[in-house]
Amino acid sequence: KEQVELKVIWNKNKYDVKFCLDGTGAELKQKIHSLTGLPPAMQKVMFKGLLPEEKTLREIKVTNGAKIMVVGSTINDVLAVNTPKEAAQQEVKAEENKKEPLCRQKQHRKVLDKGKPDDVMPSVKGVQERLPTVPLSGMYNKSGGKVRLTFKLEQDQLWIGTKERTEKLPMGSIKNVVSEPIEGHEDYHMMAFQLGPTEASYYWVYWVPTQYVDAIKDTVLGKWQYF
C-alpha cells in the first residue's frame, strides 16, 4: 500500500508518521490517538481546513511531507485547567465578600452621614408589604436632595420626583434593582435602579423602608401580581 510521510503537530509536539494514502481521516484520528492519547472525539485535525473523516488522504490530496495540525485537549488537560479556574472564581467571590458594605463606601457615606431625613416614612421590620397607594417619600438621592418614588402601575411607569423635576421611567427600561440594609439602621435600605448597561447608570435612593423593598423589586422587575 502506498504510504506518505506526515508531520503531525499537536500541542508544540511534532510526530513523524507514515500513513497509508488510502486511509481515511477517521483512521488517521485513531493513529493520532495512539501517539498522543487524545481521543478522536476531542481532536480537530487540520489540513487545508478541517480534515473530513470519511475521505481518504489521497482524495484530499495529502502529499509526502504534509503538515497535519491537531487541536484538542486530553481529559486530564481539561481537568487541570478547570480546577484552578474554579479555585480562582472562589477567590474572586471571597474577595467580593471581603469588600466593604456599600453603605461604608465614600460616595454613599456623604449622604448617609446626613442622618435620616426628618420626614422619613416609618419602617416595619420583618414584614413584607405591598406598595402603598401614596408615593414613597422622605428619602434622599445621591446628591442628598429629597426624592420620592411614585409607582404608576396602570401606565407601567416609575416616577422619580425631586424638587427640580419628575422623571417618568417605563418599568421595562430599568435593567435591575439592587438594595442593601443601611448599617446601624437595618430597617431601612439604600436602593439603586439601574437605568443603563453599567453600574455608572445606578440611580441611588436612601432610607427606603424595609417592608417595601421586595415589593419595589418585584413591581419594577415584573414579578409582582396585582389582583
Side-chain angles (χ1 to χ4, degrees):
K1 285 184 180 179
E2 196 179 343
Q3 293 201 321
V4 280
E5 292 188 0
L6 308 172
K7 279 213 181 304
V8 174
I9 300 164
W10 171 68
N11 219 4
K12 295 182 184 166
N13 298 313
K14 291 181 183 171
Y15 303 88
D16 290 318
V17 177
K18 278 189 177 174
F19 196 76
C20 177
L21 251 185
D22 293 307
T24 62
E27 288 166 341
L28 180 59
K29 281 189 164 188
Q30 290 297 343
K31 178 76 174 170
I32 292 167
H33 181 206
S34 68
L35 291 169
T36 62
L38 186 61
M42 298 182 79
Q43 296 175 22
K44 265 192 187 169
V45 181
M46 317 290 287
F47 173 75
K48 296 181 181 171
L50 202 58
L51 186 85
E53 290 198 3
E54 68 288 353
K55 290 194 174 175
T56 66
L57 272 55
R58 191 186 298 277
E59 285 176 294
I60 57 171
K61 299 184 171 52
V62 174
T63 54
N64 238 350
K67 282 186 182 170
I68 306 286
M69 302 291 296
V70 181
V71 180
S73 304
T74 65
I75 295 291
N76 288 342
D77 290 338
V78 172
L79 293 175
V81 169
N82 277 354
T83 312
K85 191 172 159 191
E86 282 163 18
Q89 283 171 343
Q90 282 168 353
E91 274 176 36
V92 168
K93 276 199 178 134
E95 274 305 309
E96 282 175 358
N97 292 340
K98 273 195 281 183
K99 266 192 201 166
E100 57 185 353
L102 289 169
C103 55
R104 288 195 208 156
Q105 292 173 17
K106 196 171 158 192
Q107 57 160 330
H108 303 303
R109 273 271 48 104
K110 64 181 189 205
V111 181
L112 293 171
D113 285 347
K114 291 174 65 153
K116 278 188 204 174
D118 45 16
D119 56 350
V120 72
M121 291 177 85
S123 71
V124 186
K125 234 178 159 176
V127 174
Q128 290 181 14
E129 289 186 12
R130 288 187 163 210
L131 292 174
T133 49
V134 296
L136 294 179
S137 58
M139 298 170 292
Y140 289 135
N141 60 17
K142 68 177 178 188
S143 56
K146 283 289 181 63
V147 65
R148 71 186 167 279
L149 303 175
T150 310
F151 294 87
K152 292 283 186 182
L153 301 177
E154 62 288 352
Q155 291 154 299
D156 205 27
Q157 290 181 342
L158 166 61
W159 291 11
I160 299 179
T162 60
K163 202 165 70 175
E164 295 76 31
R165 66 173 185 274
T166 298
E167 287 197 51
K168 300 178 180 181
L169 304 170
M171 300 275 194
S173 70
I174 299 169
K175 309 279 187 289
N176 198 10
V177 182
V178 296
S179 75
E180 187 181 281
I182 296 170
E183 230 176 16
H185 302 276
E186 280 76 11
D187 46 342
Y188 289 94
H189 279 232
M190 47 191 283
M191 178 177 278
F193 299 96
Q194 186 178 343
L195 309 182
T198 65
E199 287 190 16
S201 67
Y202 280 6
Y203 187 99
W204 284 99
V205 178
Y206 303 85
W207 303 102
V208 180
T210 187
Q211 70 269 28
Y212 299 128
V213 167
D214 285 342
I216 292 171
K217 288 181 180 178
D218 291 343
T219 301
V220 171
L221 301 174
K223 296 173 197 150
W224 196 254
Q225 295 298 314
Y226 289 86
F227 301 104

